[in-house]
Amino acid sequence: MASSNIDQRSPGQAMWRGALCKCPHCGRGRLFRAYLKVADQCNSCGELLNQHRADDFPPYIAITIVGHIIVFLMLHLDMTYHVQPITYVVSMIPLAIILPLAILPSTKGAIVGLQWANYMYGFGAHRPD
């Protein structure tokens, strides 16, 4: 069995910290410098964060989650009450726009945390002194 010099990182903890928009390493510093712009490095521990490659995965996850919520609500409304189609237009379209935008930073943070925990794309290769 070969020994590894790489420290073990908890993917669950890193994803949770990322979902809270905190540094996946220390959990104290801010992960984002703007709405979806990941900071170059943690302002608390100095961990480099600019190696992430989240790309289109966070929006895909956010849209999938919101799609399931909206379909559930529509089915529930249709089975419980007899609603007019305009009710869906008035209620579900705003939800379909607002909910993905609301959960997108947490989703992206969780993906960045997962990449950090698994040493993907150079995460952890170099630490500033």
Side-chain angles (χ1 to χ4, degrees):
M1 198 146 99
S3 101
S4 174
N5 290 338
I6 297 177
D7 294 328
Q8 292 294 324
R9 296 176 175 174
S10 169
Q13 183 180 45
M15 289 178 71
W16 177 250
R17 288 174 174 174
L20 295 175
C21 300
K22 299 292 183 184
C23 171
H25 180 250
C26 69
R28 291 184 308 268
R30 293 186 330 205
L31 182 60
F32 297 105
R33 59 182 163 91
Y35 174 60
L36 290 175
K37 299 284 186 188
V38 176
D40 290 334
Q41 69 182 55
C42 175
N43 59 358
S44 181
C45 69
E47 181 75 29
L48 294 176
L49 301 170
N50 58 357
Q51 292 95 348
H52 78 90
R53 294 284 313 258
D55 299 330
D56 293 336
F57 194 44
Y60 176 79
I61 297 291
I63 290 168
T64 301
I65 292 169
V66 170
H68 281 81
I69 292 170
I70 288 177
V71 167
F72 171 78
L73 288 174
M74 289 176 73
L75 287 172
H76 178 71
L77 286 174
D78 197 46
M79 286 189 225
T80 307
Y81 311 102
H82 211 27
V83 296
Q84 297 296 318
I86 193 70
T87 305
Y88 295 124
V89 172
V90 172
S91 61
M92 298 302 160
I93 291 178
L95 280 177
I97 294 170
I98 294 168
L99 285 178
L101 293 174
I103 68 171
L104 195 52
S106 292
T107 307
K108 184 170 184 175
I111 299 301
V112 171
L114 179 65
Q115 292 176 356
W116 176 84
N118 290 311
Y119 292 92
M120 296 171 69
Y121 309 113
F123 271 120
H126 306 311
R127 292 275 316 261
D129 291 335

